[in-house]
Amino acid sequence: NHVLEDIPWVFYAPTLPGYPKEEEGWIFKKLLDNGIAIAGIDVGESYGNPEGVQLFTELYNMLTTNNKLSKKVSLLARSRGGLMLFNWAAVNPEKVSCIAGIYPVSNLLSYPGIKKASKAYGYSEEEFIKHLKENNPIDHLDKIIEYKIPMYYIHGDIDETVPLKDNSAIMKARMDSLGGDMKLDIIKGQGHNLWKGWFQNEQLLKFILSNIHR
């Protein structure tokens, strides 16, 4: 009997009411046309908390067991999806082939801020500060580095919602200092918006396609 190979796939976040939007249509169609499945799960405004991460794992287990999707998945994050997917990757690095991001959040202090994040994580604000490093993407890069997971982020230099300097720029500086593999494309004159260049980005697509079978 001819056994079909495991189907390559992309984990997308956030999958919330209204997300993904029609803007993702271009890259989703390109992925599907290349035989790549796309999946996501609504974990609410979890901001990368352990409960949300656990739901990602449950979906991953179901898809890789029952639906024959590949054990290695590529991650594609938009905005706060960066918190969700990165925190999942940090505890499941052996399952990740690459991480791609469109102005992704990398720093809970920057977005959504301590007040909202502490509620999502079930801590008081004071307690959350004590647990920040174990939950903040920019502070737990060790497994990403150890497993040599390549990253590619695109971010605008006038983003006010998820500022470049507090998110992707810190992530890039720390990845570089630790010997990680991350490319950061800084887009001049763009903010946190629906500009076509974010979503119809050939370089982002090429990065996913070239790493999907890693």
Side-chain angles (χ1 to χ4, degrees):
N1 287 347
H2 177 67
V3 179
L4 283 172
E5 282 186 36
D6 290 341
I7 301 161
W9 62 296
V10 164
F11 225 152
Y12 174 84
T15 317
L16 295 165
Y19 290 92
K21 293 179 183 284
E22 60 189 32
E23 285 80 28
E24 276 83 1
W26 180 89
I27 196 164
F28 281 6
K29 184 176 188 307
K30 295 279 188 184
L31 293 169
L32 292 169
D33 287 349
N34 277 278
I36 297 163
I38 303 154
I41 183 170
D42 183 353
V43 294
E45 292 291 12
S46 59
Y47 304 122
N49 72 14
E51 291 77 16
V53 166
Q54 181 56 34
L55 288 170
F56 271 68
T57 300
E58 286 172 24
L59 178 64
Y60 169 91
N61 290 341
M62 186 188 81
L63 293 176
T64 54
T65 305
N66 303 339
N67 296 74
K68 304 291 186 279
L69 297 193
S70 169
K71 297 287 187 193
K72 279 283 197 96
V73 59
S74 295
L75 311 183
L76 174 59
R78 169 176 171 180
S79 194
R80 59 197 182 279
L83 292 170
M84 302 169 184
L85 287 174
F86 194 93
N87 280 0
W88 185 79
V91 292
N92 296 280
E94 74 287 352
K95 302 179 176 82
V96 178
S97 54
C98 66
I99 307 172
I102 299 167
Y103 45 65
V105 182
S106 299
N107 185 356
L108 286 159
L109 287 174
S110 169
Y111 184 96
I114 292 299
K115 193 169 187 175
K116 282 187 179 173
S118 60
K119 278 186 187 158
Y121 281 77
Y123 290 115
S124 67
E125 290 180 40
E126 294 75 20
E127 280 295 303
F128 184 66
I129 294 292
K130 294 177 192 170
H131 292 275
L132 180 63
K133 285 202 168 183
E134 70 209 51
N135 295 298
N136 206 16
I138 56 170
D139 291 313
H140 61 135
L141 303 175
D142 52 335
K143 291 294 180 188
I144 306 299
I145 307 278
E146 184 186 331
Y147 281 79
K148 298 182 166 57
I149 299 169
M151 295 173 62
Y152 181 69
Y153 280 5
I154 53 176
H155 214 124
D157 66 348
I158 58 167
D159 191 325
E160 292 180 6
T161 307
V162 182
L164 170 68
K165 70 179 177 63
D166 299 323
N167 290 276
S168 295
I170 295 180
M171 180 72 85
K172 171 69 172 156
R174 292 188 180 180
M175 285 287 286
D176 286 355
S177 71
L178 294 166
D181 178 4
M182 177 178 177
K183 180 173 186 339
L184 172 60
D185 217 349
I186 298 170
I187 312 297
K188 300 266 192 254
Q190 287 295 341
H192 212 78
N193 55 29
L194 300 180
W195 174 58
K196 266 189 183 175
W198 298 124
F199 304 101
Q200 299 183 23
N201 190 297
E202 293 283 357
Q203 290 306 115
L204 199 69
L205 175 67
K206 187 178 169 188
F207 171 78
I208 294 170
L209 294 178
S210 63
N211 286 291
I212 199 96
H213 296 293
R214 230 181 115 257

